[in-house]
Amino acid sequence: MIRRLAILSVHTSPLAPMGGKKTGGMNVYIRELAQELGSRGIAVDIFVRRSSHDEPKIDYGIGENVRVIYLTAGTVKTLSPDDIYPHLPQFTARLIAFTTRHNIKYDVIYSNYWLSGWVGQKLKESWGTPFVQMFHTLGQMKQRILTHESIMPNQRIRTETEIVEWADRIIAATPAEHSQLMWLYRANRRKIGIVPPGVNTERFYPRSEARAKAELGIDDSKKMLLFVGRIEPLKAIDSIIHALNVIKTNTPDVLEQICFTVVGGDPHDSADREMQRLQSLTREYGLDNVVDFIGAKDQNLLPAYYAAATAVIMPSDYESFGMVSLEAMATGTPVIASNVGGLSYLVKDEQTGYLVPVRQADVIAERITRLVTDNTLARSMGDNAAELAKQYAWSNIADRLCAVFNDILGQKSARAV
């Protein structure tokens, strides 16, 4: 049975506020999983690269039996994953030094994202400890989708391909990701286990829309649409703004009922090109009084935002899973999402929300209009969403992951014998 687990999250801290440049579903995933495992008596250490001098050496804030350990590797500031890559050997050396100094041995290493997978393999070589990999996003998929951006660096795809060979087990969030791993990376089918992320049903649960609006200072006469996540072209937030312009042109009376809140990024960051582009588009369409960019928010505030919303919209070009959609559903809020990746798997079209074609603003506008103008439909979809989300409670997901970890330990013991 697993007693001590090392979680690798090299490029981002699970304690970072949501909606930052490199914070999103993976941060929530690691924090909530660690908290659940810690509550079961499993000692969990999460290793993160230090990106700020304000970060302590060790943070105990997640919960019982859980530590977030910050290690210096390169300049102490926020770096892109590609700029972190050259510092991975130093990060690995610092991690080994820490565990040697404190005489710590782990049963399993759980690495998250491709940078962590590189470190996971080096630790496996040094310690003989098996490692499990979850990619969260796949470079090969992003390269196929982001034709309007520069392609993924060769070092990422090369490293991901190597990790697929190195890892003792790979966790895929959905059947679609399972297929992508075999198709694009030639992964061994027997290595891959499908275990989706979970949701904290004690934090995200149905609550009064009116009370949530009052708590947040939102006009109760308005139907709020909500986006939560990173501000980047992949998220296709401009599709929502285009859809609002369609509504403004075709049914201006419907637009008068709507406000749209964007949680993520920093609306005052003049260096954020995507934020500046979205704000410029909003002004161009004359939607300044409809769209509100409020920046990144602490995870503890998100349940109120979800509950206050008539719909959460995720029009992404690609999502490996879509944690935001699951949190919204658990809160009893319908989701309008692109019919891609994990969103196709999670959102049930016309039952818990709507699946729409990528970057089809007119379709998004039509689905928004349905939910805004039909309270009975919105409530019914919200109820269905909350019921479906119960299957993803972290207690269930942790059971499935622990089964994977324990299976690996059993195989290791058998080999040793």
Side-chain angles (χ1 to χ4, degrees):
M1 295 288 289
I2 185 166
R3 293 184 174 84
R4 187 178 287 276
L5 177 70
I7 296 181
L8 307 182
S9 179
V10 174
H11 77 293
T12 183
S13 170
L15 295 170
M18 283 294 292
K21 287 186 177 179
K22 286 298 172 185
T23 57
M26 179 179 140
N27 304 70
V28 177
Y29 176 90
I30 293 172
R31 184 179 65 245
E32 296 291 345
L33 173 63
Q35 189 174 59
E36 173 65 28
L37 295 178
S39 71
R40 299 178 179 203
I42 297 172
V44 180
D45 285 342
I46 306 169
F47 292 95
V48 180
R49 177 189 162 273
R50 182 181 301 283
S51 61
S52 168
H53 290 288
D54 293 333
E55 293 163 341
K57 290 183 178 180
I58 301 177
D59 194 308
Y60 299 88
I62 287 181
E64 185 182 8
N65 298 315
V66 180
R67 304 187 295 181
V68 179
I69 300 163
Y70 293 93
L71 303 173
T72 301
T75 307
V76 180
K77 66 177 183 179
T78 300
L79 297 174
S80 71
D82 302 314
D83 291 331
I84 292 172
Y85 182 78
H87 303 296
L88 293 181
Q90 184 183 21
F91 182 91
T92 306
R94 292 280 171 85
L95 196 162
I96 292 173
F98 177 89
T99 56
T100 301
R101 188 164 60 250
H102 296 281
N103 194 27
I104 300 171
K105 293 183 179 179
Y106 299 100
D107 298 315
V108 175
I109 300 159
Y110 190 27
S111 52
N112 293 261
Y113 199 59
W114 67 279
L115 293 172
S116 297
W118 189 97
V119 177
Q121 170 60 11
K122 298 304 176 185
L123 296 178
K124 178 181 176 179
E125 290 176 352
S126 177
W127 298 338
T129 304
F131 88 97
V132 179
Q133 171 71 23
M134 188 171 191
F135 285 104
H136 295 273
T137 62
L138 295 171
Q140 287 273 25
M141 285 300 298
K142 295 187 80 169
Q143 181 167 289
R144 280 163 168 72
I145 291 162
L146 297 181
T147 55
H148 56 285
E149 289 189 16
S150 59
I151 63 171
M152 290 292 102
N154 288 333
Q155 68 185 18
R156 172 172 179 175
I157 292 175
R158 183 179 65 251
T159 304
E160 286 179 341
T161 304
E162 292 171 339
I163 292 167
V164 165
E165 292 295 320
W166 295 334
D168 294 274
R169 202 69 59 87
I170 303 168
I171 300 298
T174 65
E177 187 179 359
H178 183 283
S179 299
Q180 291 157 8
L181 284 162
M182 291 193 299
W183 167 47
L184 297 171
Y185 295 89
R186 301 292 186 264
N188 183 339
R189 179 192 297 269
R190 287 172 293 183
K191 273 190 178 184
I192 308 171
I194 302 174
V195 183
V199 65
N200 186 333
T201 52
E202 294 182 1
R203 177 178 295 143
F204 299 100
Y205 56 87
R207 53 193 290 194
S208 165
E209 179 181 330
R211 281 201 293 272
K213 284 181 175 178
E215 179 182 333
L216 298 171
I218 297 169
D219 186 349
D220 191 40
S221 67
K222 295 287 187 180
K223 299 294 182 70
M224 187 178 82
L225 307 174
L226 181 67
F227 170 87
V228 177
R230 295 187 301 277
I231 308 300
E232 59 184 28
L234 175 75
K235 299 296 184 180
I237 304 166
D238 53 346
S239 295
I240 307 174
I241 299 173
H242 289 309
L244 293 175
N245 189 52
V246 171
I247 295 172
K248 178 182 178 182
T249 302
N250 297 340
T251 52
D253 57 315
V254 174
L255 186 71
E256 290 178 2
Q257 304 174 47
I258 292 172
C259 63
F260 173 40
T261 300
V262 179
V263 175
D266 179 356
H268 307 296
D269 183 359
S270 59
D272 187 333
R273 290 192 298 174
E274 181 63 5
M275 177 67 80
Q276 295 300 312
R277 186 179 74 86
L278 293 172
Q279 291 176 331
S280 176
L281 184 64
T282 300
R283 291 190 295 269
E284 179 185 334
Y285 285 151
L287 295 169
D288 304 68
N289 62 335
V290 176
V291 183
D292 190 11
F293 297 89
I294 64 172
K297 295 295 177 183
D298 188 272
Q299 181 79 353
N300 292 327
L301 292 175
L302 290 185
Y305 279 101
Y306 290 135
T310 298
V312 168
I313 309 179
M314 292 193 69
S316 308
D317 294 330
Y318 165 62
E319 289 283 350
S320 59
F321 184 72
M323 288 283 286
V324 165
S325 61
L326 179 55
E327 291 172 349
M329 288 166 56
T331 314
T333 300
V335 176
I336 300 173
S338 296
N339 192 5
V340 298
L343 296 173
S344 301
Y345 167 83
L346 185 61
V347 177
K348 307 306 177 187
D349 190 37
E350 299 194 355
Q351 297 177 42
T352 65
Y354 293 110
L355 292 171
V356 298
V358 173
R359 294 188 178 271
Q360 294 292 311
D362 55 338
V363 180
I364 296 173
E366 193 274 334
R367 301 299 192 269
I368 289 173
T369 301
R370 283 193 200 180
L371 289 171
V372 165
T373 58
D374 190 336
N375 292 334
T376 301
L377 175 66
R379 278 196 298 270
S380 174
M381 284 189 167
D383 291 343
N384 293 339
E387 190 62 31
L388 178 64
K390 291 177 182 177
Q391 301 174 16
Y392 295 89
W394 270 115
S395 57
N396 297 333
I397 303 305
D399 284 345
R400 293 168 64 177
L401 278 170
C402 283
V404 173
F405 298 151
N406 290 328
D407 181 55
I408 291 172
L409 291 175
Q411 291 180 7
K412 182 182 178 183
S413 297
R415 286 194 300 270
V417 170

